[in-house]
């Protein structure tokens, strides 16, 4: 094993051996190499005469570039063309952490690291899988989950996904099912909670959130090591009757056997999907945070090398804009109105013959639970006969993204879904 990896591992073992034990074999081997990037960083501070280190080209004192590209962009060449650091632009990291602390009161006064820039949410989840999942390790998540988790954790890393019912008979978060499933894990588990949930659009209430944290603490107190991953892709889109912050702050510093990891980003919550800017943030003691950052930088260096510089520049300017909060509230109101309209439409009793729906109070989506139809059969029928696209998330569930339907069109959308159900039950 490389000496740098050994140093990081020794630091973690000394500070918190439990978190060290959570690492996968790959995670224990990872480190950030003292190679071209670190040498270039040193040169950037001291090479006042010539800096002939990093693999870019320069011209007239700035990064070389094509005029026909530059004339379409409103940013300085230095903020577009050079490589961004593997961990991301430092000012962006700092401002995103300020945003996290403002948006999540429970994060205040907790030992939380600086967010590390990822190439959006999936990349952050992939980093978690690489760092913490060995073949055969268990990922625990609700039955309704994003299908890409299978690729990230099962196919890539050989883990096992175990699920629990998301909802109880009262249509609230199924705390006891969560407890029962998690209690079965006696050594280590990765817990992945995604709120607002994809596909159902559900976020727990304050009391449910507190109960979830209590389950985690109880299981951790029994000796089980827990990596608790909060997939906050749709953060901030909380419309009614739910907690208004991430569970990350509530879980942080809650027990030595718990490592909270927050995965979030501008992708969904700031409506810049194609920019591919996300963040991964850890909560632990300072020495452990430093070791995890170095290992995370090592993963990034060994996979994508670094994220898009221009995307980070655009996001940074957006977060600093005086218009940011105003426009974000405008978009929130539009999204909330679509969710409210969806509930109003679904109150029509005629739909009860073909479906019920899972509780939803946040995010982009809601899910219909079909009474006596196959979801894939209905999906194809709606597409072929009515030009309506929905997602069949399993045999009984249809996911509807009200996020991409104007409020004025939502009634027609569900009427067409209803008509498709009528066709198939004649």
């Amino acid at each position: 094993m490389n000496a740098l990896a050994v140093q990081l591992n020794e630091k973690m073992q000394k500070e918190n051996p439990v978190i060290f034990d959570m690492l996968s074999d790959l995670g224990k081997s990872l480190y950030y190499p003292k190679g071209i990037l670190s040498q270039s960083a040193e040169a950037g501070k001291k090479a006042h005469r010539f800096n002939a280190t990093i693999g870019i080209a320069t011209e007239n004192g700035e990064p070389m570039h094509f005029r026909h590209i530059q004339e379409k962009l409103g940013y300085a060449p230095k903020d577009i063309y050079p490589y961004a650091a593997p961990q991301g632009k430092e000012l962006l990291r700092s401002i995103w952490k300020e945003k996290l602390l403002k948006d999540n009161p429970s994060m205040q006064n907790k030992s939380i690291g600086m967010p590390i820039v990822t190439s959006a949410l999936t990349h952050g989840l992939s980093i978690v899988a690489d760092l913490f999942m060995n073949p055969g390790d268990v990922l625990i998540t609700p039955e309704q989950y994003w299908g890409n988790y299978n690729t990230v954790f099962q196919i890539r890393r050989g883990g096992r996904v175990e699920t629990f019912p998301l909802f109880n008979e009262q249509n609230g978060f199924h705390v006891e099912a969560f407890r029962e499933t998690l209690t079965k894990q006696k050594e280590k588990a990765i817990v992945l909670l995604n709120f607002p949930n994809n596909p159902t659009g559900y976020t727990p209430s304050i009391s449910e959130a507190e109960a979830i944290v209590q389950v985690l603490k109880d299981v951790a107190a029994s000796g089980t090591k827990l990596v608790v991953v909060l997939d906050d892709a749709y953060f901030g889109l909380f419309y009614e009757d739910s907690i208004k912050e991430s569970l990350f702050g509530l879980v942080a510093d809650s027990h030595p056997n718990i490592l909270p990891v927050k995965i979030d980003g501008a992708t969904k919550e700031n409506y810049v999907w194609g920019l591919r800017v996300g963040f991964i943030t850890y909560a632990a003691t300072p020495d452990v945070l430093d070791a995890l950052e170095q290992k995370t930088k090592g993963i990034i260096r060994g996979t994508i090398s670094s994220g898009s510089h221009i995307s980070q520049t655009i996001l940074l300017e957006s977060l600093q804009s005086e218009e940011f909060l105003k426009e974000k509230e405008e978009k929130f109101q539009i999204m909330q109105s679509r969710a409210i309209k969806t509930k109003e439409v679904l109150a029509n009793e005629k739909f009860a013959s073909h479906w019920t729906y899972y509780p939803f109070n946040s995010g982009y989506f809601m899910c219909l639970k079909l009474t006596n139809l196959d979801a894939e059969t209905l999906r194809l029928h709606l597409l072929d006969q009515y030009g309506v696209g929905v997602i069949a998330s399993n045999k009984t569930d249809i996911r509807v993204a009200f996020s991409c339907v104007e409020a004025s069109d939502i009634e027609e959308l569900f009427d067409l879904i209803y008509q498709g159900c009528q066709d198939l039950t004649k």
Side-chain angles (χ1 to χ4, degrees):
M1 185 177 292
N2 184 278
L4 294 175
V6 171
Q7 290 176 14
L8 294 175
N9 292 343
E10 289 176 347
K11 179 187 291 189
M12 293 184 71
Q13 286 174 304
K14 181 179 179 180
E15 183 73 14
N16 190 326
V18 173
I19 293 181
F20 172 76
D21 288 342
M22 295 178 187
L23 292 171
S24 66
D25 293 339
L26 173 60
K28 291 173 181 175
S29 298
L30 283 164
Y31 62 96
Y32 184 61
K34 291 185 177 179
I36 291 173
L37 293 187
S38 62
Q39 293 176 49
S40 295
E42 292 177 6
K45 297 175 182 178
K46 297 181 179 180
H48 57 85
R49 185 77 176 104
F50 298 109
N51 185 357
T53 58
I54 200 162
I56 69 167
T58 59
E59 186 176 23
N60 299 321
E62 63 183 15
M64 190 178 289
H65 56 270
F66 290 140
R67 290 187 302 275
H68 70 270
I69 294 177
Q70 179 60 29
E71 66 188 15
K72 292 178 169 46
L73 303 172
Y75 301 99
K78 68 179 179 62
D79 291 322
I80 301 173
Y81 304 111
Y83 300 111
Q87 69 272 21
K89 292 172 75 86
E90 292 303 325
L91 183 55
L92 175 60
R93 298 176 68 197
S94 177
I95 288 179
W96 193 262
K97 185 171 183 180
E98 290 176 8
K99 175 184 177 300
L100 294 184
L101 292 172
K102 180 179 178 181
D103 292 345
N104 299 273
S106 295
M107 286 178 60
Q108 300 289 339
N109 303 315
K110 302 289 180 70
S111 182
I112 291 166
M114 189 70 74
I116 299 167
V117 177
T118 64
S119 186
L121 279 292
T122 305
H123 182 217
L125 293 168
S126 178
I127 288 171
V128 169
D130 285 347
L131 271 176
F132 300 107
M133 178 160 274
N134 277 323
D137 283 351
V138 173
L139 177 80
I140 293 176
T141 198
E143 287 178 353
Q144 286 80 18
Y145 66 89
W146 185 40
N148 206 23
Y149 291 169
N150 293 328
T151 304
V152 173
F153 292 95
Q154 285 188 303
I155 297 174
R156 286 189 64 255
R157 296 296 301 160
R160 294 186 293 113
V161 176
E162 293 191 10
T163 63
F164 61 92
L166 177 55
F167 299 107
N168 57 27
E169 294 180 355
Q170 292 75 42
N171 282 329
F173 184 87
H174 207 320
V175 175
E176 290 311 311
F178 177 51
R179 180 184 294 276
E180 180 180 350
T181 304
L182 192 54
T183 301
K184 294 177 183 176
Q185 312 308 318
K186 300 303 182 184
E187 295 185 7
K188 168 188 168 183
I190 300 174
V191 179
L192 179 47
L193 299 173
N194 163 224
F195 302 122
N197 175 259
N198 176 6
T200 66
Y202 186 74
T203 296
S205 66
I206 294 174
S207 62
E208 289 172 337
E210 292 171 346
I212 291 169
V213 174
Q214 189 60 54
V215 170
L216 293 169
K217 291 166 64 175
D218 290 346
V219 173
S222 73
T224 305
K225 305 176 187 71
L226 300 177
V227 181
V228 180
V229 185
L230 291 314
D231 176 350
D232 292 335
Y234 303 91
F235 178 81
L237 296 170
F238 306 119
Y239 307 132
E240 58 180 4
D241 302 329
S242 77
I243 189 173
K244 305 300 183 185
E245 62 175 311
S246 170
L247 286 172
F248 179 80
L250 297 174
V251 178
D253 296 352
S254 62
H255 196 279
N257 286 351
I258 295 176
L259 173 66
V261 186
K262 189 179 197 300
I263 311 292
D264 65 5
T267 313
K268 305 291 199 311
E269 61 173 279
N270 289 1
Y271 316 106
V272 287
W273 310 275
L275 294 188
R276 313 308 296 150
V277 180
F279 299 87
I280 181 169
T281 308
Y282 304 102
T285 54
D287 280 351
V288 172
L289 288 173
D290 179 67
L292 289 174
E293 176 167 335
Q294 298 306 312
K295 288 177 178 290
T296 300
K297 287 165 60 178
I299 295 175
I300 294 171
R301 178 61 174 153
T303 51
I304 65 168
S305 191
S306 63
S308 165
H309 195 159
I310 189 171
S311 292
Q312 294 181 53
T313 296
I314 293 170
L315 176 59
L316 177 57
E317 184 180 84
S318 170
L319 292 169
Q320 293 175 311
S321 170
E322 294 180 356
E323 300 297 314
F324 174 74
L325 293 177
K326 175 186 174 184
E327 291 196 39
K328 189 157 189 178
E329 179 61 23
E330 289 174 357
K331 303 310 178 190
F332 174 85
Q333 293 297 330
I334 292 172
M335 296 288 280
Q336 185 178 47
S337 69
R338 293 175 182 178
I340 291 172
K341 181 63 176 180
T342 298
K343 285 194 174 181
E344 290 176 355
V345 169
L346 289 172
N348 192 324
E349 293 181 359
K350 73 177 182 180
F351 297 139
S353 59
H354 293 301
W355 67 65
T356 57
Y357 64 89
Y358 295 104
F360 67 98
N361 54 11
S362 55
Y364 277 35
F365 312 111
M366 60 80 56
C367 264
L368 303 177
K369 184 175 181 63
L370 301 176
T371 304
N372 51 20
L373 287 173
D374 176 74
E376 176 67 3
T377 301
L378 176 60
R379 182 188 75 83
L380 293 174
H381 181 73
L382 291 171
L383 200 57
D384 293 339
Q385 298 301 315
Y386 297 99
V388 171
V390 294
I391 296 295
S393 57
N394 57 36
K395 290 186 177 181
T396 63
D397 295 352
I398 290 287
R399 191 190 78 175
V400 179
F402 55 78
S403 59
C404 57
V405 181
E406 299 288 344
S408 58
D409 294 327
I410 286 174
E411 185 170 6
E412 180 183 2
L413 168 63
F414 284 99
D415 281 341
L416 289 173
I417 296 173
Y418 173 77
Q419 186 57 52
C421 292
Q422 290 284 86
D423 296 343
L424 293 174
T425 53
K426 287 180 179 178

